[in-house]
Amino acid sequence: MSNTRHFLTLMDFTSDELQQLLQHAIEMKKQWKAGTIYEPLKNMTLAMIFEKSSTRTRVSFEAGMNQLGGHAMFLTSRDTQLGRGEPIADSARVISSMVDVVMIRTFGHDIVEDFAAHSGVPVINALTDDYHPCQLLADMMTYKEHRGSIKGKTATYVGDGNNMCHSWMNAAKQFGFHLNIACPVGYEPNATLMEKLKDHVTLFNNITDAVKDVDLITTDVWASMGQEEEQKIREKAFKDFKVNSAAMALANKDAIFMHCLPAHREEEVSTAVLEGSQSVVWDEAENRLHAQKALLEALVIGLPS
Ligand code: CP
Ligand code: NVA
């Protein structure tokens, strides 16, 4: 099991491997659009465990696995023994003995770590409370397609110091750009990660200074899955951290806007920005499919040489 490769954060691949993976994803996307059949995972099975809701992640992994010639199995804690207290380690041993790769969306990051430690096949983190690395694969692919290399550029993440923020921080290190983070006091990202990545990240407590002359602005919902009851308190705390046209106007002229979606219009982002000419959010969502197909192939078979 120790030789099995997992993707729990962006740090599980080297910078070079991530570049290779995204290049392969861009090529696979072109081939797929041209109607070429490519089935390196024929007869293989992906188990998808969802303990939180999803639209993009489920559709992209399921469609992606089918396109690669394999099959995807949708499992939830509600209708498996996971929801009735069967230990993660036992579930991991059993599930991984029957499938070729596992994808998990859950709450604590320790759950995917525990599963991976007991899994005989690769495990993919499809969002935990702490990280959402699959989203950043799609985001980095989208930047590359629209603007070329992100190396040496500056991006700004506006909002909660959450799973998306942490994955953007990891991306800054792995892809060689600088990340400004604008968040209200009390909603900062994890302090240990901040310290570890301090050369790549600058923290601001206002949006204006953080977005000046940057190449990309991104944001996320104010209340993540599992924090629904904090919505009202968070609406107050984040009211000055909205990405609107005034914020976009402070960035570089060719800056792009990204959002992992789902978006709450007129909360973290104005409708004008989300639907505006600088927004690449629909390409970003579609690229979940292409980036994860490359990821599945890389984990199960290996990176293309
Ligand atoms: N961005 C993202 O992961 O979307 P879903 O929650 O719909 O999967
Ligand atoms: N931060 C959000 C991301 C959703 C894709 C959440 O965890 O709900």
Side-chain angles (χ1 to χ4, degrees):
M1 281 182 209
S2 51
N3 291 334
T4 306
R5 196 142 196 210
H6 306 293
F7 185 66
L8 306 188
T9 76
L10 287 175
M11 300 309 190
D12 287 331
F13 281 58
T14 66
S15 299
D16 284 350
E17 286 173 335
L18 289 169
Q19 291 294 352
Q20 238 180 302
L21 191 143
L22 293 192
Q23 197 47 47
H24 187 48
I26 289 169
E27 278 152 26
M28 283 168 93
K29 176 177 176 178
K30 283 191 196 134
Q31 290 197 347
W32 182 69
K33 298 232 172 207
T36 310
I37 308 275
Y38 181 59
E39 298 185 325
L41 303 188
K42 204 165 175 60
N43 297 324
M44 295 196 184
T45 305
L46 163 70
M48 308 190 295
I49 302 170
F50 282 94
E51 300 202 285
K52 288 177 175 170
S53 303
S54 167
T55 297
R56 279 144 289 271
T57 303
R58 178 177 176 184
V59 175
S60 55
F61 268 110
E62 191 161 336
M65 195 62 190
N66 290 341
Q67 289 166 22
L68 292 170
H71 172 77
M73 180 194 293
F74 179 69
L75 304 167
T76 73
S77 41
R78 264 191 310 283
D79 44 33
T80 58
Q81 302 288 3
L82 274 166
R84 297 181 62 251
E86 183 168 15
I88 302 293
D90 295 4
S91 305
R93 272 177 280 208
V94 173
I95 295 170
S96 73
S97 72
M98 301 183 201
V99 304
D100 302 279
V101 51
V102 177
M103 182 236 85
I104 310 177
R105 168 168 286 198
T106 188
F107 293 86
H109 192 72
D110 56 319
I111 296 174
V112 293
E113 287 176 338
D114 193 11
F115 199 105
H118 297 92
S119 172
V121 300
V123 174
I124 298 170
N125 172 8
L127 183 145
T128 61
D129 290 344
D130 292 345
Y131 295 100
H132 194 6
C134 291
Q135 182 66 52
L136 263 293
L137 291 182
D139 297 358
M140 293 298 101
M141 175 176 172
T142 308
Y143 191 90
K144 197 174 162 82
E145 285 181 322
H146 279 266
R147 294 285 184 270
S149 175
I150 198 166
K151 203 174 166 126
K153 306 275 182 185
T154 303
T156 300
Y157 173 93
V158 179
D160 192 19
N162 62 10
N163 44 12
M164 279 305 301
C165 182
H166 293 155
S167 285
W168 271 97
M169 290 166 71
N170 280 345
K173 163 136 178 72
Q174 294 291 62
F175 289 88
F177 63 91
H178 196 82
L179 183 71
N180 291 343
I181 299 172
C183 64
V185 173
Y187 293 92
E188 292 87 358
N190 177 282
T192 312
L193 193 65
M194 251 334 270
E195 178 56 29
K196 203 163 109 192
L197 297 175
K198 61 176 186 292
D199 294 345
H200 308 274
V201 178
T202 307
L203 201 56
F204 295 81
N205 59 14
N206 72 88
I207 185 165
T208 314
D209 295 333
V211 297
K212 226 169 258 160
D213 304 328
V214 301
D215 304 291
L216 183 169
I217 299 180
T218 186
T219 186
D220 187 17
V221 292
W222 292 341
S224 286
M225 290 182 274
Q227 300 174 329
E228 289 78 5
E229 73 290 353
E230 292 176 36
Q231 177 69 27
K232 287 283 161 242
I233 302 171
R234 284 171 173 264
E235 276 173 22
K236 279 204 194 95
F238 286 88
K239 69 175 175 24
D240 297 326
F241 291 82
K242 178 188 296 212
V243 180
N244 53 23
S245 303
M248 288 305 295
L250 293 172
N252 285 337
K253 254 219 275 309
D254 66 348
I256 55 177
F257 172 76
M258 287 189 174
H259 191 310
C260 62
L261 305 178
H264 291 186
R265 286 170 171 78
E266 304 311 331
E267 286 187 26
E268 74 274 7
V269 58
S270 68
T271 305
V273 169
L274 190 75
E275 303 285 1
S277 59
Q278 288 167 287
S279 172
V280 296
V281 300
W282 314 116
D283 289 345
E284 192 186 347
E286 182 193 319
N287 280 340
R288 293 292 303 279
L289 171 71
H290 309 296
Q292 288 159 197
K293 281 168 73 178
L295 175 67
L296 285 164
E297 189 185 347
L299 288 174
V300 176
I301 295 177
L303 280 158
S305 45

